[in-house]
Amino acid sequence: MLHVDDLAVSRGGLTVLEGLCFGLVAADLLILRGPNGVGKTTLLRTLAGLQPALAGRVSVDQEQITYSGHADGLKATLTVAENLQFWAAVHGQTVIDPAIAAMNLTALQTRRAADLSAGQKRRLGLARLSVTGRKIWLMDEPTVSLDAASVGLFGAMLRAHLAQGGAAVVATHIDLGLPEARVLDLSQFKAKSKRQGAFDEAFA
């Protein structure tokens, strides 16, 4: 589903990671670890096609990728249900009820996104992944603002995605309770050289 070969990525014009090689097949879950600033977000953005690789290659069908970054991707004036309907329609999908149930949003369906708490917004942002119909989920610290119960809901949603033949790459510092996950510590790929990249992701 996704193959990375001798990949190097840069941030602010400087190489942060190099020599990355890994792959994903159906039902794979890869957890990215490493200290703050090591390059987890930069790697995810590169895999998602939001910035070019400095070197190497990412082999993937970009039409199968959906990306969840630090922003929840919500329209403040739309309700919970309307937000999910919008994102489903963008991806040619129509079904939103399983996503609403998975992240315990049933009682909030008619509430505007602007009126949700931080944790509720995050749950809605994660539910958005389920309505895209895409097989590869890329997620950057998805559990920020979630309480323990909501982390459990997310873990169950992710497990269901994998059981349906999906795959995921998740940057997180916490244990998601998914022992089947593979862990990739990015510290071992920290760039030894600081060669310049021509692209600055601040302008992506």
Side-chain angles (χ1 to χ4, degrees):
M1 297 179 77
L2 181 150
H3 184 73
V4 170
D5 183 36
D6 199 23
L7 186 69
V9 299
S10 64
R11 180 179 63 241
L14 297 177
T15 308
V16 290
L17 296 169
E18 59 187 1
L20 279 157
C21 296
F22 62 87
L24 283 182
V25 298
D28 260 357
L29 171 58
L30 183 66
I31 303 293
L32 303 180
R33 300 271 199 229
N36 291 336
V38 75
K40 297 185 292 295
T41 296
T42 303
L43 173 58
L44 286 171
R45 286 174 53 83
T46 304
L47 297 179
L50 298 176
Q51 66 180 71
L54 184 60
R57 183 167 59 179
V58 177
S59 301
V60 66
D61 179 1
Q62 288 290 337
E63 293 300 312
Q64 289 301 315
I65 285 180
T66 187
Y67 172 69
S68 174
H70 294 155
D72 292 317
L74 306 178
K75 294 188 174 293
T77 59
L78 298 184
T79 67
V80 166
E82 288 168 345
N83 265 281
L84 292 178
Q85 288 165 350
F86 170 82
W87 283 109
V90 165
H91 294 283
Q93 307 294 313
T94 57
V95 178
I96 66 168
D97 289 344
I100 287 176
M103 293 309 293
N104 192 25
L105 295 167
T106 303
L108 301 172
Q109 289 187 75
T110 59
R111 187 175 299 181
R112 294 190 319 153
D115 300 324
L116 299 176
S117 70
Q120 291 166 341
K121 287 178 181 176
R122 177 56 76 172
R123 279 159 47 203
L124 177 54
L126 293 172
R128 182 170 55 90
L129 296 168
S130 284
V131 304
T132 64
R134 297 198 167 188
K135 289 292 188 179
I136 304 172
W137 294 358
L138 306 178
M139 291 167 280
D140 195 359
E141 299 293 348
T143 59
V144 170
S145 301
L146 295 185
D147 57 22
S150 297
V151 171
L153 291 174
F154 168 67
M157 184 181 77
L158 182 52
R159 182 177 282 116
H161 173 66
L162 301 176
Q164 293 165 5
V169 182
V170 184
T172 181
H173 293 287
I174 75 164
D175 182 1
L176 297 176
L178 299 169
E180 62 269 36
R182 292 186 291 131
V183 175
L184 181 63
D185 186 345
L186 295 182
S187 299
Q188 62 186 309
F189 300 103
K190 187 175 180 180
K192 297 178 178 61
S193 62
K194 292 297 182 181
R195 53 182 165 155
Q196 296 287 324
F199 178 82
D200 187 343
E201 67 274 12
F203 299 99

